[in-house]
Amino acid sequence: MINLNPTVWQDKAIEKTTAERKEVKGQRESIMADHVLDMIHEFCIQSEDFAQAVAEGGTFAACMTTVAKGVGNSISDIDAYKKAVQFYFPGAEIQVQMQIITEKKQENTKPIMLSLEDLLGD
């Protein structure tokens, strides 16, 4: 999603978290940081209120420490994003929609046109 008219809060949040990315320490935190940062930026673009919370909130490094806390060998992307969102905006939830598409749209296919005369014959 591209926001053609970002707000001051959205700009501040994205600039702040991008600059703070280099401060992320820890193996788990570092592995997840780029993906979580991308999603935080996407959420900032979607919601000015969230962007303000990020701009005024804790550091991205602290966010990633919170995301990694209690993680064993793995965490789903969705759970990581949820923990990150709740770090900046307690009580907020994320909504995920997933679909499977099993049929490929065939390109260059022309519709079949039948007339009533073709069905009735001569």
Side-chain angles (χ1 to χ4, degrees):
M1 171 187 286
I2 297 174
N3 185 356
L4 299 178
N5 297 306
T7 68
V8 172
W9 288 118
Q10 291 163 330
D11 286 341
K12 284 182 179 182
I14 290 170
E15 289 172 18
K16 174 184 179 275
T17 53
T18 299
E20 293 169 346
R21 166 59 180 97
K22 63 181 177 252
E23 299 168 14
V24 173
K25 306 291 185 227
Q27 182 179 9
R28 288 184 179 105
E29 292 88 337
S30 295
I31 289 169
M32 295 184 286
D34 289 336
H35 296 289
V36 171
L37 183 62
D38 288 344
M39 194 54 59
I40 291 294
H41 290 173
E42 180 65 30
F43 292 148
C44 285
I45 290 167
Q46 291 177 26
S47 169
E48 186 174 359
D49 290 338
F50 181 72
Q52 182 177 354
V54 171
E56 294 179 332
T59 67
F60 183 67
C63 173
M64 289 311 302
T65 299
T66 299
V67 171
K69 185 177 181 178
V71 172
N73 292 329
S74 66
I75 184 172
S76 72
D77 291 349
I78 295 166
D79 287 338
Y81 303 150
K82 180 178 178 179
K83 288 175 83 171
V85 164
Q86 291 178 346
F87 172 82
Y88 289 111
F89 209 115
E93 292 291 331
I94 62 172
Q95 184 178 37
V96 179
Q97 179 179 352
M98 297 175 73
Q99 294 178 315
I100 184 169
I101 309 298
T102 58
E103 297 178 20
K104 293 182 181 179
K105 183 178 177 182
Q106 295 180 1
E107 306 230 357
N108 298 326
T109 57
K110 296 180 181 177
I112 299 172
M113 304 293 284
L114 297 175
S115 71
L116 187 55
E117 291 175 354
D118 291 335
L119 293 174
L120 296 176
D122 292 327

